[in-house]
Amino acid sequence: FQQWCMDHDEDDDSSFTTTKYMTQEISTFVNKVPCLDDFYRYIQFHNLASQVITYQNLDVQVVHYEEYGTNVTDVVQRLRTLYDWMIPPEEEEAKKKKKGKKTREEDWSLPEFLVGKKYSDYYTTEQTDAIWDLLRVMAHPRVWKTL
């Protein structure tokens, strides 16, 4: 994995490191973070999603990976609430009438979830610290609270 990251970083012609968004504080972490573009995209996705949520005044369901292992029933119930809000009742009724289509209740049958999959051994302690430092300085305060 480490070699793949190094190859990925070397082959990448990203303009991220030369943009106006590259502050002095961020640049201190750039060479310490493996797969930099992946972590950049990760934090940008969450920052932009946070902006849309605020601008559109949307309800939010934050689910952390660890919750699947500790309380999957609660996670599913929260996501079902969001799903119920997203699907208009008339669409659900039409779906039920179509032969061979699953009902909403059937759609929520869960595949087996293997608890405890960790990726901590992919990175050294120094890399992990640099990744968290990069995320901290790039994350919007609302996003940082949820990480």
Side-chain angles (χ1 to χ4, degrees):
F1 178 76
Q2 289 283 330
Q3 186 61 53
W4 181 87
C5 257
M6 286 189 288
D7 293 344
H8 181 71
D9 287 341
E10 286 174 9
D11 292 343
D12 191 28
D13 59 352
S14 170
S15 59
F16 165 63
T17 56
T18 59
T19 68
K20 64 182 179 180
Y21 304 108
M22 180 58 67
T23 65
Q24 183 64 37
E25 186 175 21
I26 293 171
S27 69
T28 62
F29 306 114
V30 168
N31 293 327
K32 299 175 186 175
V33 174
C35 297
L36 175 65
D37 278 355
D38 293 317
F39 287 104
Y40 172 73
R41 281 190 296 272
Y42 172 84
I43 201 63
Q44 283 300 93
F45 169 83
H46 287 86
N47 283 340
L48 294 171
S50 177
Q51 287 179 348
V52 169
I53 289 163
T54 300
Y55 180 74
Q56 296 289 331
N57 196 28
L58 301 173
D59 289 332
V60 176
Q61 290 291 331
V62 175
V63 177
H64 291 100
Y65 172 80
E66 296 81 12
E67 291 179 79
Y68 283 99
T70 60
N71 197 355
V72 69
T73 305
D74 181 55
V75 170
V76 170
Q77 195 58 43
R78 288 175 19 221
L79 293 177
R80 285 182 75 177
T81 301
L82 180 64
Y83 180 79
D84 287 344
W85 172 80
M86 290 171 34
I87 307 299
E90 59 274 8
E91 186 176 320
E92 176 66 17
E93 288 304 314
K95 186 176 182 180
K96 285 180 184 178
K97 290 179 183 178
K98 287 186 179 181
K99 196 172 188 173
K101 291 289 184 178
K102 291 182 177 181
T103 65
R104 183 175 298 168
E105 201 62 38
E106 293 168 329
D107 281 342
W108 283 96
S109 61
L110 294 173
E112 182 183 2
F113 179 74
L114 300 175
V115 178
K117 178 68 175 160
K118 302 285 183 184
Y119 301 93
S120 56
D121 59 334
Y122 281 41
Y123 305 103
T124 67
T125 302
E126 293 79 17
Q127 289 172 328
T128 302
D129 291 345
I131 291 165
W132 279 112
D133 287 340
L134 178 73
L135 296 177
R136 179 183 45 78
V137 299
M138 292 189 69
H140 185 279
R142 280 190 309 270
V143 171
W144 180 246
K145 280 192 227 177
T146 65
L147 291 180

